[in-house]
Amino acid sequence: MTLSQSSVETTRELTRRDVFLMAVGCALAVSAIYYHQPLLPQIASTFGVTPTQGNLIATLTQLGYALGLLLFVPLADGVQPRKLASYVVVVNAVGLLACAAAPTFHALAALSVVVGVTAITAQIIIPAASRGAAPANQGRIVGTMLGGLSSGILIARTLSGLVGAYFGWRSMFALASIVDLVLLVVISKLPPSNSLKPIHYAELMRSLITLVRQEPVLRICAAMRLLTFGAFSAFWATLAALLAQPPYGFGPASVGAFGLISLVGLLASPHIGSLVDRIGARDVASAGAAMVALAFAIVATGARHLPVLIVGMVILDLGNRAGFVANMARIQALRPEARSRLSTVYMVSYFAGGSAGAALGGYGAHAAGWIGLAAVGASLALAAVAVSALSYLSNSHQLSRMRPYD
């Protein structure tokens, strides 16, 4: 079967309205994979499972997201992104509604995979935004898209905590399906992508392997994001369970309020993108990985000093954002005709790391509380720093051909 489009559009640069709508679409889309985080202790209690077992919901959602990125996002190099996004959003809405009615924990776990697989709209939008951006503005545009993602994550965690505290976790999943209907309206107003060429699906999938083999920058960026987002996910997947324990005893609403810490990073996202445009993505990515490692050194004090923990959370958020924007800008500069596929490789690694990080974080927190979580996160972040060092040591032509995204 050949992937085709109804028409071929002329190239034009994105307007401010386009960028705003795309950022809103990213915000609404990504929220679907974060609603559950403040609710994990509630969900575990409902079904009579341990908090560690409850973390399986976070792990499977992230794993499903990685699978959806692999199977569906490459299609956006050959079909209209807004058409593809509309299909997956409809299935996502049905999946969220089914989660609200899940009769057993195992059913909810299976449905979490469905939600993750179809929550990929943001990763369809971001390459489309990059296609329409002038080369000198790509960092800023990617930073704006990340600002949209950050808004969605912040709203999801905060809203979910409040709704869960007052109406229960099932109500939040039902509300999330309604949010998807709003997302459909936003998608319908997005600009069409330009000059798409029909590509066989099998060829698309084979080309992913080719890209990984031929692009060392892609391999380094993907490995860094797997590790740093693994660390980030380890923190957020276990935060609710740790804060529910002494000395805090926080409920879903309080845990959800911690999402407001993301406001700092949200405001910083466009500036991070501009920094990438000015000084180069490789340096920003390296600094981001180092910040994540530093953050977990601070998180180790979480059981004793809440203000210090909050500082660590701010640094963690900023470091994660810096790495995301910088590495995404690097890979989007490699092959303009394959941006969706480059994004697929990058984001599959990203959320595979998120899935593994959620599982490892739960294990570390169960074994040694805040210290165990910090040990897991710091180890992953330091491994990312080591991978980053390879981009400085390598003399490959591929690593130095693109500026300022090298």
Side-chain angles (χ1 to χ4, degrees):
M1 183 181 69
T2 300
L3 303 171
S4 61
Q5 61 184 68
S6 58
S7 60
V8 176
E9 293 75 28
T10 57
T11 302
R12 68 170 177 84
E13 189 171 351
L14 295 174
T15 66
R16 289 186 177 181
R17 175 183 178 275
D18 294 336
V19 173
F20 174 76
L21 285 174
M22 287 180 162
V24 170
C26 287
L28 296 176
V30 78
S31 61
I33 59 172
Y34 291 100
Y35 289 126
H36 65 272
Q37 288 185 343
L39 305 174
L40 291 175
Q42 261 193 348
I43 292 171
S45 177
T46 296
F47 294 111
V49 301
T50 67
T52 301
Q53 291 172 317
N55 274 1
L56 182 64
I57 301 301
T59 299
L60 291 176
T61 302
Q62 301 280 3
L63 190 61
Y65 195 81
L67 183 61
L69 292 170
L70 178 63
L71 295 178
F72 299 125
V73 171
L75 295 172
D77 279 336
V79 298
Q80 280 298 329
R82 62 183 179 184
K83 180 179 179 181
L84 176 62
S86 296
Y87 289 148
V88 297
V89 169
V90 169
V91 179
N92 187 255
V94 174
L96 287 166
L97 198 59
C99 283
T104 66
F105 181 77
H106 290 99
L108 180 61
L111 289 166
S112 295
V113 177
V114 175
V115 169
V117 167
T118 55
I120 57 172
T121 298
Q123 305 312 325
I124 296 172
I125 292 173
I126 291 174
S130 184
R131 285 191 188 98
N137 293 327
Q138 281 191 4
R140 181 179 59 82
I141 295 297
V142 172
T144 302
M145 296 302 105
L146 180 57
L149 289 171
S150 302
S151 299
I153 295 169
L154 186 157
I155 292 169
R157 288 174 178 152
T158 305
L159 178 63
S160 180
L162 290 171
V163 172
Y166 291 102
F167 302 102
W169 63 268
R170 293 183 187 275
S171 297
M172 185 61 244
F173 280 100
L175 179 60
S177 67
I178 297 174
V179 172
D180 271 349
L181 299 181
V182 179
L183 177 58
L184 280 174
V185 175
V186 173
I187 289 171
S188 70
K189 298 181 181 299
L190 295 180
S193 286
N194 45 17
S195 303
L196 295 174
K197 297 179 181 179
I199 309 175
H200 288 280
Y201 184 73
E203 181 184 345
L204 279 171
M205 303 311 291
R206 286 194 300 269
S207 70
L208 296 177
I209 300 173
T210 302
L211 288 170
V212 172
R213 186 175 64 249
Q214 295 180 352
E215 299 289 351
V217 170
L218 177 61
R219 295 196 297 271
I220 286 175
C221 292
M224 288 184 67
R225 293 314 295 150
L226 183 149
L227 294 164
T228 52
F229 189 65
F232 186 80
S233 183
F235 178 84
W236 279 101
T238 57
L239 181 66
L242 288 173
L243 289 177
Q245 299 172 9
Y248 302 118
F250 292 156
S254 298
V255 174
F258 276 83
L260 295 173
I261 291 170
S262 300
L263 279 172
V264 177
L266 173 61
L267 296 173
S269 292
H271 301 291
I272 292 172
S274 296
L275 190 65
V276 167
D277 292 330
R278 289 200 307 271
I279 71 172
R282 184 171 58 181
D283 291 343
V284 175
S286 300
M291 289 175 68
V292 172
L294 172 62
F296 276 99
I298 299 172
V299 164
T301 69
R304 300 185 302 276
H305 305 291
L306 184 59
V308 177
L309 173 63
I310 291 173
V311 171
M313 293 172 70
V314 171
I315 296 173
L316 175 63
D317 190 70
L318 289 172
N320 182 63
R321 291 170 195 277
F324 180 91
V325 173
N327 284 311
M328 179 63 84
R330 293 175 79 186
I331 66 166
Q332 291 292 294
L334 294 174
R335 298 194 185 186
E337 78 284 359
R339 285 190 170 119
S340 291
R341 281 165 285 167
L342 291 166
S343 181
T344 293
V345 174
Y346 180 67
M347 296 306 298
V348 166
S349 299
Y350 193 143
F351 282 94
S355 178
L360 291 171
Y363 176 79
H366 177 74
W370 291 101
I371 298 295
L373 169 61
V376 168
S379 297
L380 292 170
L382 289 172
V385 172
V387 171
S388 178
L390 295 176
S391 66
Y392 291 93
L393 295 174
S394 175
N395 292 319
S396 169
H397 172 68
Q398 288 281 359
L399 288 173
S400 60
R401 70 179 184 177
M402 301 302 298
R403 296 191 180 276
Y405 302 105
D406 60 347

